Amino acid sequence: MSTRRWTLNEAEGRYAATNLTTPTITVELALKRSTGVVEPVGVFELDLVALAAQGFVTKRDKGGQEVFDVQIYRGASGAYTLGVRRADQTALGPFARRAR
């Protein structure tokens, strides 16, 4: 499993990552406010194979290798979701890493 550090821009409202080759990833997500302040959101463990099977992540072939595309959205209410399209998403919260 690889760890990614992603910062979602508040003005954009989403973060997109493409061509991921690892089937499971840990995402350390932060939010960059319009003021420039970066706030941690949380740490999430994503099984990209399972999420692709559910339609929340794109899985495709690129040059004979399986790759994944992930999009994380922040809604007007401040809730974070994961999905290929804004109309078909799932809450990001259930993927939060639990304390061990």
Side-chain angles (χ1 to χ4, degrees):
M1 183 177 311
S2 76
T3 299
R4 308 290 176 126
R5 289 176 180 85
W6 295 346
T7 302
L8 189 149
N9 187 306
E10 182 178 34
E12 175 73 19
R14 76 177 181 103
Y15 185 91
T18 61
N19 299 318
L20 301 172
T21 57
T22 308
T24 57
I25 61 173
T26 298
V27 175
E28 295 176 1
L29 185 64
L31 174 68
K32 183 176 182 180
R33 296 283 186 180
S34 56
T35 60
V37 174
V38 177
E39 300 173 356
V41 172
V43 179
F44 305 90
E45 294 181 358
L46 304 178
D47 178 340
L48 301 181
V49 174
L51 288 165
Q54 296 170 27
F56 298 120
V57 168
T58 301
K59 179 174 79 170
R60 58 191 171 82
D61 180 76
K62 182 178 179 184
Q65 183 176 20
E66 184 176 77
V67 297
F68 301 91
D69 301 332
V70 176
Q71 292 193 77
I72 296 175
Y73 298 92
R74 181 175 184 271
S77 68
Y80 291 87
T81 57
L82 175 73
V84 175
R85 291 169 287 288
R86 284 191 185 267
D88 190 21
Q89 300 173 12
T90 189
L92 188 59
F95 302 100
R97 177 184 280 174
R98 304 295 186 245
R100 294 174 197 210

